[in-house]
Amino acid sequence: MRSLLARLRPLVLVLVLGGLVPALPAQAAVTVTFYGHEGNQVQNGWLLFPHAFVHLHGTLDSNGLPVDYAVGFTARSPGPQLLLFSDRGILNRPEPAYLADGIAYLSVTISDETYEAIKLRFDYWASAEGGTYNLNNRNCIAFVADIADVVGLETPSARTLSPNGFLKDMVDMNPPGSLAGIEHHAVAG
C-alpha cells in the first residue's frame, strides 16, 4: 500500500499544480467570544469580581497563523478607592482556569480585517490615552462594548455594573442571523 501511495504522489502533485483538481477552500477563521463571570470568587488568594472579557481564537485566513488571546480591562490596583477615584487601567490576560470558569455568551466569526481592527482597539485601551479605569464608565463592560462595536454587534446603551446583565442584554440584541457568524451559547437565565 505504501508503495502505491509513493507512486501516486507525483500524479496527484501534477493534477493539483496543473489546476485539474480544484483547491480545497481554506478552513481558517478567527472567532471572538464574549465572556462573563458571575459573583465574587476567590482564586489563589485573590478576590475576583464579576468581570467581562473577550477571547479571540482560531486561525488567520491571510497567513494561517493561530490566534489564542483572551483579555479584559481592569484597574491596575483594585480596591475601595475605585468607588471615589479613577485609576490606571490595564489589559489583563485571564489565567486558563479563569477562562474555563467563565460563561461564554456570544461568539462571532470575524474577518482578518476585523481582527486587525480589534488589535488596534487593544492597543488604545493599553495606552495612556485610553487606559484610564473608572468603575462607573471605563470598566470591563465598556471595554467589551467597544470590542463588540468593532465586530458590528448591537450593544445596550445604558451601562450597568453587572457584566453578566450587560452580556445577556447584548445576546438579546443580536439574535442568530442578525450578523453572519453569530453563535449564541446556552446561558442559564
Side-chain angles (χ1 to χ4, degrees):
M1 181 65 145
R2 189 174 188 161
S3 63
L4 176 62
L5 290 175
R7 282 186 268 147
L8 290 177
R9 186 175 302 151
L11 176 61
V12 170
L13 185 58
V14 167
L15 291 173
V16 170
L17 291 177
L20 299 175
V21 174
L24 297 175
Q27 296 299 315
V30 173
T31 300
V32 58
T33 302
F34 296 85
Y35 279 87
H37 264 271
E38 289 198 28
N40 296 333
Q41 300 177 11
V42 175
Q43 186 179 52
N44 298 327
W46 290 90
L47 178 62
L48 304 174
F49 295 95
H51 186 51
F53 57 97
V54 296
H55 181 209
L56 288 88
H57 51 95
T59 306
L60 292 170
D61 286 324
S62 61
N63 57 20
L65 290 176
V67 173
D68 188 6
Y69 188 78
V71 66
F73 183 73
T74 190
R76 181 177 301 226
S77 302
Q81 77 281 4
L82 295 176
L83 295 171
L84 303 172
F85 304 104
S86 295
D87 196 3
R88 182 79 187 120
I90 58 170
L91 290 180
N92 189 23
R93 296 192 65 176
E95 297 290 328
Y98 189 76
L99 180 64
D101 286 343
I103 301 167
Y105 282 90
L106 186 70
S107 293
V108 181
T109 303
I110 58 174
S111 67
D112 284 9
E113 292 78 20
T114 301
Y115 170 77
E116 293 299 327
I118 289 172
K119 283 180 30 181
L120 289 173
R121 295 311 297 165
F122 289 169
D123 291 345
Y124 169 76
W125 283 86
S127 73
E129 178 186 4
T132 300
Y133 182 92
N134 179 283
L135 183 62
N136 293 313
N137 57 25
R138 293 272 310 155
N139 53 30
C140 64
I141 297 166
F143 171 76
V144 166
D146 185 42
I147 302 306
D149 287 342
V150 171
V151 171
L153 295 171
E154 297 291 325
T155 60
S157 58
R159 296 296 188 244
T160 173
L161 291 179
S162 169
N164 293 290
F166 173 83
L167 289 164
K168 287 175 185 175
D169 289 347
M170 192 171 87
V171 166
D172 290 344
M173 295 176 75
N174 295 280
S178 63
L179 185 68
I182 287 184
E183 175 186 332
H184 286 194
H185 299 275
V187 177

